Amino acid sequence: MTTYIQTKCHCGLNSFKVAFKTSELPLSTAACHCNSCRHTTGQMLVIDVPIQGVPLSSTAEGDVAASLEGLTAYKSSKDMTRYFCTKCSAYFFFHNGVHDVWAVFSGVLEKVDEVLSVSHHIWVEDTLDGGIADHYRTVNDVVLPRYAQRATSGTLPLGWKAKEFANAETHPLHCHCKAISLALTRATEIKDPKSEYWLVPGKEGAPMRFMAAHCFCSDCRLSSGSQIQSWVIVPRVNVTDASTSASVDPENAAARPKGLKQYESSPGKRREFCGTCGATVFWWREGVSHLDLSAGLFDQEAGGARAEKWLVWYDRIIHPKDAISPATLAALTEGVKAEKAEEV
Ligand SMILES: [Zn+2]
Ligand SMILES: [Zn+2]
Ligand SMILES: [Zn+2]
Ligand SMILES: [Zn+2]
């Protein structure tokens, strides 16, 4: 028997039907932390699952191959092509050319826990600090193995770090194709502690850090294809274009990084993504002096994927009521709390 699941993105330009063998559901799958997954999406990890055959038309009767004309293809390696919505940037599919297998991103599925169950982490080694495998520890009381590379490789313990990172003056961020390359600078002053609660003073002379949090809202999910959208709130003046060193101003065409594409997900809420590789870059509102950067863009070489010399991870989940997968929500809720409790 075949189970059909509908998928859609935020803007509605794309919708597909995908097929699974009913007897295999829910499929056990991995959360991937590899550099390609993080930097093509702007997310901290990618959860996807293989489908039967090809993406199908969401409206036609039976199995009719869908047109993919509303998607942008991005070849992240010789054999791997990734597809995202050309209008809102939601990631839908991977195609593995070696095995001719299609996989669907979990954030566009109409239901998740019936379809897949995250059972392990892969490519944790790429993060250099464990990434948010440290925030995603157990599912239904089972501790998820953290594989360094593929699921056949060795594992890395919770709290693992490849090296110690230094406090630097700037921190690089980039999407996979590097059309978007930014540098974050340090904030040095809190003008209004109430409204700038997301600026976290350093202890004992350490630099100020920015607050980062995982958002589970439907708008973030459906415009990214990711169940977990991780944001970092930063003053606009601290975000510079790496090629010009000038501050990014999304309202001024001359000060917008070339290659950014905009999608207005609700009135006044503008999301920006890389038009080439599809990575979510940031969102902003007119006249507001800060913006939210997508945390998966942080260059792991400079400070680990979790970038803890720059970021303080909030110990709660944003918009938990919108979560499409109670299993993912429960895991992250527990994980960020545990991580905070262990912080020194
Ligand atoms: Zn879309
Ligand atoms: Zn990956
Ligand atoms: Zn890009
Ligand atoms: Zn959100």
Side-chain angles (χ1 to χ4, degrees):
M1 258 196 24
T2 301
T3 296
Y4 293 99
I5 301 285
Q6 295 288 343
T7 68
K8 64 166 187 198
C9 60
H10 193 273
C11 75
L13 176 63
N14 286 288
S15 61
F16 304 94
K17 194 166 68 181
V18 290
F20 300 96
K21 258 200 195 112
T22 306
S23 61
E24 290 176 357
L25 298 182
L27 285 156
S28 156
T29 194
C32 185
H33 299 257
C34 81
N35 292 336
S36 295
C37 280
R38 281 183 289 107
H39 290 280
T40 51
T41 58
Q43 308 305 332
M44 295 296 288
L45 53 74
V46 162
I47 300 169
D48 65 282
V49 71
I51 62 173
Q52 296 285 309
V54 298
L56 303 171
S57 161
S58 60
T59 49
E61 286 288 322
D63 293 7
V64 178
S67 155
L68 303 181
E69 64 184 359
L71 297 172
T72 298
Y74 176 69
K75 219 168 150 62
S76 58
S77 66
K78 187 165 69 72
D79 301 315
M80 192 68 83
T81 309
R82 298 163 187 253
Y83 294 85
F84 60 93
C85 173
T86 302
K87 188 172 170 193
C88 74
S89 90
Y91 253 105
F92 274 85
F93 303 112
F94 276 113
H95 180 250
N96 180 327
V98 179
H99 306 291
D100 192 20
V101 169
W102 288 84
V104 64
F105 281 68
S106 69
V108 291
L109 295 169
E110 63 177 329
K111 43 182 108 167
V112 171
D113 289 347
E114 291 86 339
V115 174
L116 64 93
S117 170
V118 173
S119 60
H120 55 290
H121 295 287
I122 56 171
W123 293 102
V124 174
E125 183 180 82
D126 271 13
T127 64
L128 304 182
D129 65 358
I132 65 161
D134 289 36
H135 296 174
Y136 200 156
R137 302 176 177 191
T138 59
V139 172
N140 300 325
D141 295 326
V142 177
V143 176
L144 305 186
R146 303 152 48 99
Y147 295 105
Q149 301 177 1
R150 294 173 209 286
T152 47
S153 67
T155 57
L156 297 169
L158 179 67
W160 166 85
K161 270 194 180 82
K163 57 180 175 181
E164 282 305 317
F165 299 101
N167 274 320
E169 296 288 303
T170 64
H171 198 296
L173 292 92
H174 64 85
C175 65
H176 191 265
C177 76
K178 298 204 170 153
I180 310 297
S181 284
L182 307 172
L184 190 59
T185 61
R186 295 282 186 186
T188 51
E189 190 192 1
I190 302 179
K191 293 190 194 91
D192 177 6
K194 221 176 191 163
S195 65
E196 293 173 323
Y197 61 90
W198 39 270
L199 287 174
V200 186
K203 286 181 196 147
E204 293 158 17
M208 191 115 70
R209 293 186 291 168
F210 304 110
M211 191 169 276
H214 305 304
C215 184
F216 275 57
C217 85
S218 306
D219 288 352
C220 285
R221 184 179 76 246
L222 292 172
S223 59
S224 69
S226 175
Q227 293 177 72
I228 309 166
Q229 164 70 61
S230 311
W231 294 120
V232 181
I233 314 179
V234 295
R236 285 189 194 177
V237 291
N238 293 109
V239 183
T240 62
D241 190 325
S243 60
T244 61
S245 297
S247 286
V248 166
D249 178 0
E251 299 185 37
N252 170 1
R256 287 173 57 84
K258 308 265 175 297
L260 267 192
K261 244 178 118 168
Q262 188 180 105
Y263 172 65
E264 193 171 358
S265 61
S266 57
K269 186 161 185 172
R270 297 169 198 277
R271 293 169 190 261
E272 308 278 355
F273 62 98
C274 172
T276 303
C277 73
T280 301
V281 179
F282 57 79
W283 79 265
W284 60 282
R285 276 184 202 284
E286 264 166 53
V288 174
S289 62
H290 60 266
L291 52 78
D292 282 38
L293 275 173
S294 206
L297 302 175
F298 277 71
D299 187 332
Q300 65 286 340
E301 295 296 330
R306 238 173 29 251
E308 285 181 333
K309 295 284 184 199
W310 286 78
L311 308 181
V312 176
W313 289 87
Y314 189 40
D315 61 354
R316 284 161 68 178
I317 300 301
I318 312 295
H319 293 300
K321 286 204 177 86
D322 276 12
I324 194 168
S325 157
T328 310
L329 176 65
L332 269 285
T333 302
E334 182 190 294
V336 289
K337 220 175 263 169
E339 170 94 351
K340 187 59 98 192
E342 288 154 13
E343 218 171 71
V344 276

